[in-house]
Amino acid sequence: MCLAIPGRIVELISGPNEVGVVEVTGVRRKVQLGLLADDMPVVGDWVLIHVGFAMSKISERDAAEQMHLLSMLGETEQAMEEVRGYGLGERASDDIGHHEAPTRPN
Amino acid sequence: MRFKDTQIEMSHGAGGKASRKLVEGLFAPLLLTDAAQMLSDAARVEMGGTAIAFTTDSFVVRPLRFPGGSIGELAVNGTVNDLAVSGAKASAMVVTFILEEGLASTVLEAEVRAMSAALKRAGVSMVGGDTKVVERGKADGMYITTAGIGIPMRGVHVDARTVRPGDKILISGPFGDHGITILLARQDLDLEADLVSDTRSVLPMVEAIAAEAATGIRWMRDPTRGGVATALNELARDCGLAVELNEEEIPIHDAVRGACELLGLDPLHIANEGQFLAVVSAEYADAALNAVRMTDGGDEAQIIGQIREQPAGAVVVNTRYRGTRIVEMLVGDPLPRIC
Amino acid sequence: MRYVDEFRDPDLITKASDEIRRLANPSRHYRIMEVCGGHTHAIYRFGLKDILPENIELIHGPGCPVCVLPMGRIDDGLAIAKAPNRIFTAFGDMMRVPGAHGSPLEDKARGTDVRIVYSPADALEIARKNPEKEVMFFAIGFETTAPSTALTLMSAMSQGIDNFSVFCNHVTIVPAIRAILDSPDMRLDGFIGPGHVSTVIGCRPNQWIASVEGKPVVTSGFEPLDLLQSIVMLLRQLDAGEAKVENQYKRVVPWEGNRAALKVMAEVFELRPYFEWRGLGFISQSALRIREKYAAWDAERRYSVPETRVADPKSAQCGEVLKGVLKPAQCKLFGKECTPEHPIGALMVSSEGSCAAFYNYEYRKSQLTSISAMA
Ligand code: SF4
C-alpha cells in the first residue's frame, strides 16, 4: 500500500499553492508541499513523496541512528554471549511458555 | 488456444501476454503456414535456392519526436534490428506512411530526413513505398510501417530450441531508456529527466558477435515492447528451460531506476529500441561480450545471467540478498501505480 | 539512491537475517502479520521469504486499498463517467480492476474517456485544462492518500474549479485490523505495522493492539532492512514477553504523525457510518466521505449513483485469506479459476494483493519446480 519514495527538494516555486520540485536520482517532478505546512521544507531537505505530495520530512539523524543499530546487530549479541558465559542473564522468554504450533497445515 | 477476448484493447498491442494470445490464438493458426516462424523476429524464406530473412514492423508513437529520436528513425532501426537479431543483415526495405489530414509538411519532412539518415547509417536501401491519408482525428499525426529483407549472416543460427543449460545471457547495454523517455515525453506524468531514447541500429554489435563468436550464438531478440522480462519469458517457454538473471549484474541508468521506483514500475518490463539480448554458449561468452564492448555504443554490455534446467519455463532473478523472485511477462501496458 | 540503497545493503541484510535466526526460538512457530500491501510486495520483490527461517510465517494483511474495494464501487464510478462530456481519472492501480461490467481500461476501449493520473493534483489540472468537460477523480487509498485528495478538493474550492469532483473510496486502516483481530479463528503473534499510513496518523492509533490485544506492533519501513529490523524488534519483544508499539521507521514516521495532514483530512472528510470491504464485509466507521461543505465536488452527491452491489462468488475465500486463516494457495479457486489475468477474488486483483503477490512470485516458482522435478 501507498508507494512512497524519498526525494530531495531542489527548488521551491512561489505561487498560490505550496509547490516544490523534488529530484529522485535524476528524475524531477513538481510536488505539493501543503501537507508539510507546519514545518515547511527548504531546498536540500529530503521528503517522502506519495502521489505527488510530500508526506513527511526525512530525518537524517534517525536514519543514521537506524544504520548504527543495524550495524550493531549481532555484535551486541556477541557481547551478551560472553556475559552469558559467566552464567548470568538467563533469557527472559524461558518462563513465558511457547505458543502452540498451528494445527492447520502450512 | 482460440482467441476469445471480446474486444481489442491497448494491451493486445503492448507486446505482453495479451499480444501473444492474439498472435497464437488468431493470427498464427489462420495465417501462418509454418508455426515455427512465430518464434523469431524475422521469417526465413527460401527463394530460388537462396535463403533470405523477411520482416515487418509498424510504428505508432506519441509524441512523434522525443529526446534521442523520432518515429522516422524508429521505423528504420526497428526493422533493421528485427533482421539483425534473427541473424541477418538488412539489405532492402519498403515503407508505408499513414498520414493524418492536416499534418504539417515540415513535420513529415523532418521524419523523412530522419529515416534517410538512419538508412544511410545502417547501409540499407529503400526500394519502394506507399502513402495513405486518413481524416483528421483518425491517426496521431502519422503511422509508419516498414518491411525489410536481409541476408543471413554466415554461421549464425538463431533458434531458441538450441539453447542449453549453462549458456550465458548477454545484454548490449542498460535497458529501459526508451520506454521511460517516451513515458516522460508524453508529459501526462509531469516528470522530467535527462534521459534519451536508446533508439539505434544494433546491427554493428550483432555483426561484431557474429565475427568473433558466430557458432556460440544460440538465440537473439531485441526486447522492445514488453521489455526484457517478456523477451526472456518467451525464450524460457520456447526452449523449455529456466532463464536466471543476477540482479547485481543488470545494467540500468539511474534516471530509469528513479522513474521506476517513483512510478512503481519494473525496469524489466520497460520497452527498448536500441538493445538486444543474446544467449551465447559458455565457451564463447567472453568473446561475445568483448566483441560487443569493442563496438561503438556497446561499452556497457553485460553478461546478466545464465540458462538453467529449473524451474523450466520461467525467468528467475537472483536478488542481491540470496533471495529469488519470478519475473512474469508483462500483462498489458506498464501502468504507474501508487500502491 | 539515498535513503533507499543503504537499506538494501547485502552485508547488513545477512547480518540481520542471522540475528533473526538467532532470536527465533526453534521450538516455536511465529505468525506475524504485515499490515501493508507494500510490505507484502517488498517481501516478494526482494525474495525475503527465502532468507527467513521456516518457523517465521508472514501473513499478509488487509492493507491494499485496491483489493478491499467492493466491485460495485467500480461499476458505480464507471456508470457516472459514461455520460457524455465526462472524464474518468484514477491511479494506474485501478485501471485493470474489474467491476461486474468490466474494468476502467475495458470501458476506455468502449469509448469512455479514461485517464491515468499519478496524483489527484493532476486530475484537478485536467479539469482546469478542459473547462467544457466534467472531470471525476476516482479516489482510493488509506490515510496516506486521503490528505492529498483533501488538499486537492480544497484547491478546487479556493480556485473555483467547478467541473471537478471526487468519487471517494478512502478507507481507514485501524478498523480493518480490528475486524481481523476480532475474528475468532485468528491466531497472530505480532504485527509489522502500517508504514506510510503512520506518517499521517502516527503510531498512537495502534496502541490498543498492544495494550488491549496484547500483541506487539512495530511500525515498519519498506526496504529489506526495514522489514528485517522490524522482525528483529518483534522477536525481541516476544522473547521478553512484551507487547508494545515500537517505531522502526523513525526516519520517516514521527510518533505523533502529521498534524497538518490530519487537519486537512478533518476539514474535508468525515467518517462514514459503515462501508463495505471486499472480503471482510461491512465494517463500521471504516471509511471516509466528503463533508457537506464540499458537496459540490462530491461525485456521490453530484451525480446519481446506481449503488451496484456485486457479491463475490461463494467459493472465493478471500476473507479467510485476509484474516490469515488460509494461505492463498489453500483457497479452492487459487491458480485455477482465479489468476492475476482473471481475478475472481479481491486479493488477486492488484499486484499488492496477497494472492496475486503469492501467485506471481512464489506459486509459480514452486509449481514450476515441482513440474520440472517430475519430468
Ligand atoms: S484465490 Fe482468488 S478467490 Fe481465492 S482467496 Fe485469493 S483472491 Fe480470493
Side-chain angles (χ1 to χ4, degrees):
Chain A
M1 147 181 65
C2 322
L3 191 81
I5 150 161
R8 194 170 54 96
I9 307 256
V10 292
E11 193 187 330
L12 296 173
I13 298 173
S14 51
N17 292 317
E18 284 114 348
V19 177
V21 176
V22 291
E23 192 183 290
V24 179
T25 57
V27 182
R28 289 169 301 279
R29 186 189 147 109
K30 262 195 217 131
V31 296
Q32 311 283 326
L33 304 176
L35 298 177
L36 299 182
D38 287 353
D39 183 17
M40 267 297 162
V42 295
V43 169
D45 279 350
W46 285 77
V47 294
L48 188 81
I49 312 150
H50 171 65
V51 300
F53 287 71
M55 300 303 300
S56 82
K57 268 201 215 173
I58 298 179
S59 153
E60 199 176 334
R61 228 192 51 217
D62 287 320
E65 189 192 311
Q66 191 196 344
M67 282 321 278
H68 177 70
L69 284 177
L70 281 164
S71 63
M72 295 295 289
L73 282 181
E75 328 245 313
T76 46
E77 198 34 51
Q78 242 174 19
M80 281 186 47
E81 291 288 341
E82 280 162 27
V83 174
R84 207 168 292 141
Y86 296 118
L88 304 167
E90 276 305 299
R91 293 173 73 175
S93 67
D94 289 354
D95 44 28
I96 302 170
H98 300 149
H99 285 205
E100 273 171 61
T103 45
R104 209 172 270 283
N106 293 300
Chain B
M1 225 205 284
R2 250 188 54 218
F3 180 70
K4 285 192 287 242
D5 300 0
T6 51
Q7 61 181 0
I8 293 302
E9 282 156 31
M10 296 306 288
S11 61
H12 291 114
K17 273 192 185 168
S19 306
R20 182 126 189 171
K21 263 193 341 208
L22 175 63
V23 172
E24 293 180 358
L26 184 63
F27 297 154
L30 293 178
L31 297 176
L32 287 192
T33 31
D34 174 7
Q37 294 283 22
M38 213 166 58
L39 301 180
S40 80
D41 277 328
R44 289 277 168 134
V45 276
E46 294 279 330
M47 292 187 73
T50 330
I52 57 163
F54 186 27
T55 194
T56 182
D57 206 343
S58 294
F59 298 82
V60 294
V61 60
R62 185 176 58 87
L64 296 175
R65 308 221 118 210
F66 42 84
S70 68
I71 187 170
E73 199 179 341
L74 283 184
V76 171
N77 291 343
T79 289
V80 169
N81 291 349
D82 278 350
L83 289 168
V85 295
S86 67
K89 181 173 167 28
S91 56
M93 209 181 272
V94 292
V95 61
T96 296
F97 293 97
I98 296 184
L99 307 176
E100 184 184 355
E101 179 185 29
L103 176 73
S105 308
T106 48
V107 171
L108 177 59
E109 184 178 336
E111 292 318 311
V112 177
R113 287 187 186 282
M115 290 179 77
S116 158
L119 285 164
K120 271 204 202 90
R121 272 197 301 273
V124 187
S125 20
M126 183 66 77
V127 296
D130 181 44
T131 310
K132 294 282 183 296
V133 178
V134 296
E135 278 166 51
R136 197 181 181 103
K138 297 272 161 72
D140 268 339
M142 64 194 298
Y143 302 144
I144 304 179
T145 299
T146 54
I149 54 170
I151 299 159
M153 295 174 206
R154 266 239 302 248
V156 178
H157 294 284
V158 176
D159 186 346
R161 290 163 298 190
T162 64
V163 169
R164 295 285 170 268
D167 289 353
K168 300 286 181 195
I169 301 153
L170 179 152
I171 183 135
S172 57
F175 50 85
D177 289 15
H178 176 76
I180 295 294
T181 302
I182 297 290
L183 202 66
L184 303 197
R186 280 189 195 152
Q187 292 177 343
D188 301 340
L189 298 172
D190 199 17
L191 295 175
E192 269 174 48
D194 303 319
L195 256 188
V196 294
S197 161
D198 55 13
T199 176
R200 58 175 171 172
S201 153
V202 300
L203 181 60
M205 289 185 277
V206 172
E207 284 185 307
I209 299 193
E212 301 297 326
T215 41
I217 301 175
R218 314 268 208 215
W219 174 89
M220 288 187 285
R221 178 66 58 89
D222 58 335
T224 52
R225 295 157 317 161
V228 170
T230 300
L232 291 180
N233 265 291
E234 290 186 352
L235 167 65
R237 215 187 77 157
D238 295 343
C239 71
L241 296 166
V243 174
E244 188 181 61
L245 302 181
N246 307 320
E247 196 171 44
E248 261 163 305
E249 275 133 33
I250 292 177
I252 299 175
H253 284 140
D254 272 354
V256 170
R257 222 190 120 201
C260 284
E261 292 277 351
L262 203 60
L263 300 173
L265 303 174
D266 187 341
L268 288 165
H269 284 145
I270 307 294
N272 308 280
E273 286 291 346
Q275 305 296 353
F276 73 101
L277 289 157
V279 173
V280 184
S281 67
E283 70 266 34
Y284 282 100
D286 287 339
L289 181 63
N290 280 333
V292 178
R293 283 197 175 160
M294 300 299 287
T295 314
D296 229 13
D299 47 322
E300 290 176 280
Q302 280 283 2
I303 302 282
I304 55 170
Q306 50 283 327
I307 304 294
R308 284 280 178 93
E309 230 148 291
Q310 284 171 17
V315 179
V316 183
V317 176
N318 294 323
T319 71
R320 268 167 244 241
Y321 328 108
R322 294 179 290 143
T324 56
R325 68 180 169 108
I326 295 265
V327 180
E328 278 280 353
M329 231 185 223
L330 182 65
V331 185
D333 279 305
L335 302 177
R337 33 177 210 102
I338 64 111
C339 289
Chain C
M1 270 169 112
R2 185 142 178 230
Y3 298 120
V4 172
D5 290 337
E6 54 276 42
F7 298 100
R8 295 181 186 175
D9 181 88
D11 292 341
L12 286 179
I13 286 174
T14 308
K15 242 181 174 178
S17 71
D18 288 349
E19 179 73 359
I20 289 173
R21 270 169 211 283
R22 217 188 46 70
L23 283 171
N25 182 340
S27 59
R28 178 168 175 183
H29 187 90
Y30 299 90
R31 290 167 60 90
I32 296 172
M33 173 172 278
E34 84 274 4
V35 172
C36 294
H39 290 142
T40 309
H41 193 83
I43 287 162
Y44 287 114
R45 173 178 170 197
F46 298 109
L48 295 186
K49 278 209 158 157
D50 299 344
I51 62 178
L52 288 176
E54 297 231 319
N55 58 335
I56 297 188
E57 185 185 350
L58 295 174
I59 318 254
H60 313 313
C64 165
V66 176
C67 305
V68 297
L69 184 72
M71 252 195 193
R73 296 291 289 180
I74 301 165
D75 291 311
D76 284 354
L78 289 171
I80 295 172
K82 221 175 244 148
N85 264 326
R86 301 220 174 123
I87 300 177
F88 177 96
T89 61
F91 297 133
D93 313 59
M94 281 314 303
M95 289 296 154
R96 269 192 280 268
V97 181
H101 306 296
S103 66
L105 275 189
E106 284 168 284
D107 261 32
K108 174 166 175 267
R110 293 185 202 117
T112 305
D113 191 344
V114 170
R115 305 198 192 170
I116 299 170
V117 291
Y118 167 69
S119 167
D122 296 351
L124 184 62
E125 195 53 33
I126 293 177
R128 192 201 318 277
K129 285 190 183 140
N130 296 277
E132 72 297 344
K133 304 255 178 157
E134 292 175 55
V135 176
M136 184 181 83
F137 175 61
F138 190 88
I140 55 158
F142 287 99
E143 291 95 327
T144 327
T145 322
S148 306
T149 307
L151 204 59
T152 304
L153 277 171
M154 287 164 71
S155 305
M157 179 185 261
S158 67
Q159 296 168 31
I161 303 178
D162 298 330
N163 61 328
F164 178 74
S165 68
V166 168
F167 190 79
C168 179
N169 300 292
H170 286 300
V171 283
T172 56
I173 190 72
V174 174
I177 301 179
R178 200 186 293 270
I180 282 173
L181 274 172
D182 281 350
S183 128
D185 35 12
M186 187 71 266
R187 282 188 317 271
L188 284 175
D189 295 306
F191 286 88
I192 295 176
H196 292 141
V197 162
S198 302
T199 58
V200 175
I201 64 174
C203 298
R204 206 161 286 136
N206 294 324
Q207 204 81 58
W208 63 274
I209 304 178
S211 52
V212 180
E213 303 283 341
K215 316 269 184 206
V217 182
V218 175
T219 303
S220 171
F222 296 83
E223 299 303 331
L225 275 174
D226 289 325
L227 286 157
L228 295 177
Q229 190 174 32
S230 299
I231 294 173
V232 167
M233 291 164 82
L234 283 171
L235 290 177
R236 284 194 180 140
Q237 282 199 43
L238 289 169
D239 199 31
E242 290 173 336
K244 358 175 236 196
V245 178
E246 288 185 288
N247 185 5
Q248 179 277 335
Y249 203 24
K250 275 194 201 136
R251 66 180 189 275
V252 163
V253 173
W255 185 263
E256 347 43 71
N258 180 337
R259 293 232 328 271
L262 288 169
K263 219 164 79 190
V264 165
M265 245 165 87
E267 157 76 17
V268 175
F269 297 122
E270 60 192 7
L271 279 174
R272 286 181 201 257
Y274 53 85
F275 193 69
E276 187 181 0
W277 289 57
R278 200 171 171 187
L280 290 176
F282 284 92
I283 304 179
S284 64
Q285 315 242 306
S286 66
L288 304 175
R289 70 175 174 212
I290 297 169
R291 284 186 191 275
E292 184 68 43
K293 181 176 169 193
Y294 291 87
W297 291 270
D298 182 355
E300 284 179 86
R301 288 188 173 99
R302 188 166 167 152
Y303 306 112
S304 71
V305 181
E307 298 198 30
T308 322
R309 297 273 329 266
V310 191
D312 277 333
K314 284 234 167 50
S315 44
Q317 292 173 292
C318 308
E320 277 80 4
V321 174
L322 258 181
K323 291 179 207 147
V325 177
L326 287 186
K327 298 239 140 209
Q330 290 171 324
C331 168
K332 289 190 222 63
L333 302 184
F334 183 89
K336 297 177 200 95
E337 286 90 343
C338 189
T339 62
E341 282 146 274
H342 293 285
I344 299 221
L347 308 177
M348 202 53 107
V349 163
S350 135
S351 64
E352 300 266 297
S354 39
C355 289
F358 185 80
Y359 186 93
N360 282 334
Y361 293 116
E362 281 296 308
Y363 168 68
R364 282 211 49 220
K365 203 154 79 183
S366 58
Q367 185 202 31
L368 291 161
T369 326
S370 60
I371 288 173
S372 43
M374 265 156 41

